């Protein structure tokens, strides 16, 4: 299945998880599992670590569940660092300490995958390579990837890292279309805005790197919570195609993304079991969606035709 569940919304920052939070998380996890999702995405900063702790409690409540799931987390963002702003740290020491903390909060002995959350301008690829080698040798991390990185970042890392980089997790969807826009605006003035990410989808496809898309539902702006006139027009078209395709609006928005030949995996983050279930048919909807429907949705979302 080309859907994953993003656990950012589980737990609450600054406090130990309550029974109510664990119950809500368990309902979301169970619903995601029931529609076929097996990949669960975390980061050490989600909820200040509480998202991993809540998920760990859910696993403890459900013996045997962990071995049926693929669990990944991300590291590298330091919240409140650098004089109470944010900073990024992909040093060897930080990566190893972050994995140790995530494993403890999740209550597991291994991660199926570790992603580097954002590019660190002070990072030394050889340090990252060493950290990955240690984690792989220990058996605490089985696979590796990156997040929020362009093709140039990935190529730079691959020059030093022996372990395959399996994933690039980026914001992508009908609302946040930068990586797709970059692919069609060649020789157009608007291309300058997308130059840093140009070629990233193509690079990932060429090197067997799975693109995981976070935020694909854009917090419901096309499925019930529009933010302006353009959203209203796109939402109306989403509803129309939902009727034509016999699917929920959420599945149409996700289907638009999954129709792209990069074989994107959409990471959904809602904790509402009803909305999770509404996403179940996204892959089938993407396959059934016509080119006319796909291009019409893109034009509506961008507010003007492509050049």
């Amino acid at each position: 299945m080309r859907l994953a569940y993003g656990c950012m919304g589980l737990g609450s920052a600054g406090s130990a998880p309550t029974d109510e939070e664990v119950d809500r998380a368990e309902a979301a996890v169970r619903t995601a599992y029931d529609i076929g999702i097996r990949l669960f995405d975390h980061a050490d900063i989600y909820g200040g670590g509480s998202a991993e702790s809540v998920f760990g409690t859910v696993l403890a409540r459900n013996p045997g569940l962990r071995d049926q799931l693929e669990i990944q987390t991300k590291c590298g963002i330091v919240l409140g660092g650098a004089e109470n702003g944010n900073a990024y740290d992909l040093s060897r020491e930080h990566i190893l300490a972050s994995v140790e903390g995530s494993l403890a909060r999740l209550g597991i002995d291994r991660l199926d995958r570790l992603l580097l959350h954002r590019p660190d301008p002070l990072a030394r690829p050889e340090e990252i390579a060493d950290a990955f080698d240690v984690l792989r040798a220990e058996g605490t991390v089985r696979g590796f990837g990156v997040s929020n990185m362009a093709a140039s970042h990935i190529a730079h890392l691959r020059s030093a890292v022996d372990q395959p980089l399996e994933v690039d997790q980026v914001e992508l969807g009908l609302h946040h279309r930068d990586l797709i826009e970059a692919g069609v605006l060649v020789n157009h003035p608007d291309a300058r805005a997308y130059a840093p990410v140009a070629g990233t989808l193509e690079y990932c496809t060429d090197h067997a790197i799975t693109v995981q898309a976070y935020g694909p539902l854009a917090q419901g702006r096309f499925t019930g919570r529009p933010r302006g006139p353009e959203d209203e027009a796109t939402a109306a078209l989403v509803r129309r195609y939902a009727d034509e395709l016999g699917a929920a609006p959420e599945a149409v928005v996700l289907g638009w993304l999954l129709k792209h030949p990069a074989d994107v995996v959409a990471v959904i983050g809602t904790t509402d079991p009803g909305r999770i279930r509404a996403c179940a048919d996204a892959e089938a909807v993407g396959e059934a969606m016509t080119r006319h429907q796909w291009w019409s949705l893109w034009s509506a979302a961008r507010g003007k035709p492509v050049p």
Side-chain angles (χ1 to χ4, degrees):
M1 172 176 253
R2 289 199 288 129
L3 294 180
Y5 187 76
C7 299
M8 183 176 178
L10 308 184
S12 59
S15 61
T18 65
D19 289 343
E20 182 181 0
E21 288 170 341
V22 175
D23 290 344
R24 185 170 63 247
E26 186 172 22
V29 170
R30 274 292 174 191
T31 304
Y33 183 90
D34 288 345
I35 69 168
I37 292 176
R38 296 296 181 268
L39 172 57
F40 289 79
D41 174 70
H42 290 270
D44 56 358
I45 62 166
Y46 289 167
S50 69
E52 291 180 333
S53 296
V54 167
F55 195 86
T57 304
V58 171
L59 292 178
R61 283 184 176 185
N62 294 269
L65 179 61
R66 190 274 171 265
D67 290 334
Q68 300 176 56
L69 307 181
E70 186 178 356
I71 299 175
Q72 69 180 26
T73 196
K74 299 182 285 293
C75 73
I77 297 180
V78 182
L79 297 179
E83 298 294 334
N84 297 318
N86 293 332
Y88 306 144
D89 188 347
L90 295 181
S91 65
R92 177 185 186 277
E93 292 75 16
H94 186 82
I95 293 171
L96 296 178
S98 295
V99 169
E100 184 178 358
S102 289
L103 290 173
R105 287 186 293 273
L106 290 163
I108 59 179
D109 60 4
R110 72 188 187 283
L111 293 168
D112 293 294
R113 189 176 297 110
L114 174 70
L115 309 186
L116 305 179
H117 208 155
R118 284 193 178 275
D120 171 12
L122 297 179
R124 297 183 181 275
E126 61 272 17
E127 278 195 45
I128 294 172
D130 186 46
F132 284 5
D133 288 345
V134 169
L135 294 167
R136 186 64 178 267
E138 291 176 344
T140 49
V141 179
R142 291 181 169 177
F144 301 91
V146 299
S147 178
N148 296 301
M149 294 196 189
S152 56
H153 297 115
I154 303 171
H156 183 53
L157 278 176
R158 291 179 74 238
S159 69
V161 173
D162 290 331
Q163 310 298 337
L165 296 179
E166 303 171 350
V167 164
D168 186 16
Q169 187 178 113
V170 294
E171 186 174 8
L172 185 64
L174 188 56
H175 173 61
H176 192 95
R177 305 172 304 278
D178 291 16
L179 272 69
I180 297 176
E181 296 274 348
V184 301
L185 293 176
V186 175
N187 201 34
H188 188 275
D190 290 348
R192 289 190 292 270
Y194 304 104
V197 297
T200 298
L201 287 181
E202 293 80 2
Y203 181 92
C204 289
T205 300
D206 289 347
H207 292 86
I209 297 170
T210 299
V211 175
Q212 293 180 355
Y214 68 83
L217 291 173
Q219 297 182 324
R221 69 170 59 228
F222 303 134
T223 56
R225 285 184 284 183
R227 312 284 177 82
E230 286 184 4
D231 290 353
E232 292 277 8
T234 307
L237 193 58
V238 167
R239 289 193 298 272
R240 175 181 150 194
Y241 291 158
D243 289 341
E244 291 180 7
L245 294 164
E250 288 84 355
V252 172
V253 173
L254 295 176
W256 181 88
L257 176 64
L258 298 185
K259 190 172 184 67
H260 192 281
D263 289 335
V264 177
V265 172
V267 183
I268 61 172
T270 177
T271 58
D272 180 342
R275 291 195 72 212
I276 295 171
R277 284 190 289 270
C279 299
D281 296 329
E283 198 166 355
V285 169
E287 292 174 357
M289 186 177 290
T290 67
R291 291 179 68 93
H292 173 80
Q293 290 169 331
W294 192 88
W295 279 94
S296 296
L297 286 168
W298 188 5
S299 295
R302 76 194 309 267
K304 57 183 179 181
V306 295

